[in-house]
Amino acid sequence: MFHLFHGKFKKNWDELYLENDVFGILVQYEGKQKKWTRYLHPMIDTNHNTIKYYAFDTHQQKITFLSMLKIQWVWGKTAYAIAAQDQIKLKEAIDNFDVKYFMTLPGIWSKTAKRLLVELKTTLDTADVKKLSIDDSLLKSILKSLHDLGYERSAVKKLLITCPIQLKKDNLPEIMKRLVDNL
């Protein structure tokens, strides 16, 4: 399998090939740079019984791609869309808990963007949780109640983000039961 390739792109119908004087490789590439050397990552496509190569301009993009794949529910296409972004803007979006930035990527909706940010951000503070559209008084009430019972605030915040129940005061008993069952 190839991990670094020196060649040029050739488009054939709707497929993109990275080729040199000897052979070509079918790749997935979204960049616009004209550099000759590409970092590749092979993935086995079981649906088509083939190997699919993702091409990157920089080694950092490939590292980002591999770290995205470690998240259980992130697949190749989504990981590639994230890795193909400007790495500085991506880091700023993660640091600022910018849900809207991730929603601009293909296949990522509001809930997925929030889950992704929770996975990528090392620490969550109250301002981040507020960006998840949770009523502030409800958040404080839940955090205080569960903290008084001995649960860690950070664990509660992470579970709140992935909670499928709509986070409203009317649903407070259901939310509390779900949190306690999963902590």
Side-chain angles (χ1 to χ4, degrees), residues 115-174:
R115 288 178 63 199
L116 189 58
L117 281 165
V118 169
E119 291 285 338
L120 296 175
K121 188 143 177 161
T122 54
T123 59
L124 284 175
D125 57 19
T126 306
D128 294 334
V129 177
K130 284 181 184 176
K131 293 177 185 175
L132 299 174
S133 303
I134 299 173
D135 180 18
D136 191 40
S137 61
L138 177 62
L139 172 65
K140 286 179 183 177
S141 173
I142 292 170
L143 289 175
K144 183 178 180 339
S145 299
L146 291 175
H147 181 71
D148 291 345
L149 293 173
Y151 296 104
E152 290 185 34
R153 291 178 188 263
S154 61
V156 173
K157 288 178 185 178
K158 283 186 178 183
L159 279 174
L160 278 173
I161 291 165
T162 60
C163 184
I165 303 167
Q166 189 174 13
L167 300 171
K168 297 189 321 187
K169 287 187 179 187
D170 300 338
N171 299 336
L172 188 58
E174 293 173 62

Side-chain angles (χ1 to χ4, degrees), residues 9 18 27-29 38-41 53-57 80:
F9 287 110
L18 188 57
V27 295
Q28 174 75 32
Y29 179 69
R38 295 282 180 259
Y39 296 90
L40 301 177
H41 181 74
Y53 284 91
Y54 290 92
F56 304 96
D57 292 325
Y80 186 74

